[in-house]
Amino acid sequence: MPRLPSGSSISFMSPLISAKNVTVVRDGRSVLKDVSVDIGVRDFLTIIGPNGAGKSMLLKCLMGFYAPDQGKVSPRKDLRIGYVPQRLVADPTIPITVRRFLHLRKKITTEALKSVVAETEIGSSLDRPLAVLSGGELQRVLLARALLDAPQLLVLDEPAQNLDITGQLSFYKLLERVYKEREVSILMVSHDLHLVMSSTKNVLCLSGEVCCYGEPNSVAKNPAFISLFGEDMAQMLASYQHHGHSHGHNHGHGHSHSHSIENDTDKKAIPHA
């Protein structure tokens, strides 16, 4: 498996999380095999892959919820992580309001709450029961709760999976604004790559092991991506123009270098941003 040469780190800042050679075996089957990835400062990495590819398991390992059978995950000391799950099933027999939910197990100031409520546009839902919210409203509430701790890394596991297309567009637009306005990195599992093309900096294509990695337009042309998702999806993604992010990297010796997209797409050890 190809590796970056020893000592070839392309960022002068240490990653928020570094995973090296992560392998997870369940029932005799490798769910993850030799996966290495760094989540850098101000990174926006989207993980894609077919069902059963190990995407959610990789998130669990990176967040420390699951210890890999082989390999190592090294988070930065005192790293603050905010997590947004796929969905939350609110029990209608327990009529907890959004306001109360946001306060659960969190000590937050009135000003911090006001700021996050305004940022995620959930003010009209504060005194409504969780159980009556639409899917889009609930995902905004979950995002708000994740942001209350001022995370350095925001982790989202298919956050728009259960939303209609209008809800998906609205949620990803909000997420892009959060990324632009906060000093935060984003790590997300998503099947909606066509909706996050203008936001995500890099894409990691996973199928048990890393198939390809790089900027979205580059990944869409990679044979491994085409094999997994088909020519139609590849052509659709290739038609998007990725913009809005600088991909130069300072090596700490007075000048910077740009990513080589051609080289990015088949690296198995992923550089940090």
Side-chain angles (χ1 to χ4, degrees):
M1 184 175 292
R3 296 290 181 212
L4 288 175
S6 178
S8 64
S9 170
I10 62 170
S11 173
F12 69 95
M13 299 187 74
S14 63
L16 299 179
I17 299 177
S18 181
K20 302 298 181 187
N21 311 113
V22 167
T23 295
V24 173
V25 179
R26 280 190 168 179
D27 300 322
R29 182 180 73 88
S30 293
V31 179
L32 295 173
K33 183 179 179 182
D34 202 26
V35 174
S36 296
V37 59
D38 286 351
I39 312 302
V41 175
R42 292 291 293 149
D43 211 346
F44 194 141
L45 175 62
T46 299
I47 301 173
I48 63 171
N51 292 334
K55 303 183 297 296
S56 292
M57 177 58 73
L58 179 56
L59 287 192
K60 292 176 183 177
C61 291
L62 292 174
M63 295 176 67
F65 294 158
Y66 192 94
D69 295 292
Q70 297 178 28
K72 183 178 181 181
V73 176
S74 303
R76 181 182 289 187
K77 185 179 179 180
D78 299 323
L79 177 65
R80 298 188 307 278
I81 298 177
Y83 177 62
V84 179
Q86 288 184 14
R87 61 182 299 182
L88 174 72
V89 179
D91 188 343
T93 65
I94 305 176
I96 184 173
T97 65
V98 170
R99 187 187 304 274
R100 176 59 180 156
F101 175 72
L102 293 176
H103 278 88
L104 286 177
R105 299 180 63 184
K106 291 181 182 290
K107 295 180 179 179
I108 54 176
T109 66
T110 301
E111 286 305 312
L113 180 62
K114 285 182 178 179
S115 176
V116 168
V117 166
E119 182 179 13
T120 54
E121 300 175 347
I122 61 170
S124 62
S125 300
L126 274 180
D127 296 311
R128 299 172 64 199
L130 280 178
V132 305
L133 299 184
S134 69
E137 290 170 334
L138 186 54
Q139 287 306 105
R140 284 174 176 262
V141 169
L142 293 175
L143 177 59
R145 192 166 193 269
L147 293 174
L148 281 172
D149 291 325
Q152 297 158 300
L153 174 63
L154 185 61
V155 180
L156 306 97
D157 189 358
E158 300 190 49
Q161 182 182 35
N162 299 298
L163 307 184
D164 60 24
I165 186 63
T166 302
Q168 290 174 2
L169 289 168
S170 178
F171 184 84
Y172 286 127
K173 183 178 180 181
L174 170 60
L175 188 62
E176 182 173 8
R177 188 168 74 242
V178 167
Y179 177 72
K180 288 180 178 179
E181 295 178 356
R182 283 179 174 254
E183 291 296 321
V184 67
S185 295
I186 292 179
L187 171 63
M188 178 169 63
V189 169
S190 177
H191 287 297
D192 309 311
L193 187 57
H194 59 295
L195 297 179
V196 296
M197 283 290 289
S198 64
S199 306
T200 190
K201 289 175 67 175
N202 290 300
V203 174
L204 187 156
C205 187
L206 189 70
S207 184
E209 58 185 339
V210 177
C211 300
C212 51
Y213 168 87
E215 294 183 354
N217 288 339
S218 177
V219 166
K221 301 172 186 175
N222 188 280
F225 177 91
I226 296 171
S227 176
L228 285 173
F229 294 99
E231 290 280 358
D232 289 344
M233 176 64 78
Q235 290 175 8
M236 181 180 71
L237 296 187
S239 68
Y240 283 78
Q241 293 298 313
H242 181 61
H243 58 83
H245 299 292
S246 172
H247 294 276
H249 296 277
N250 191 325
H251 291 238
H253 48 71
H255 61 282
S256 63
H257 302 281
S258 297
H259 269 234
S260 170
I261 294 178
E262 290 76 18
N263 290 338
D264 275 350
T265 53
D266 55 11
K267 288 174 182 173
K268 300 286 180 107
I270 309 304
H272 42 77

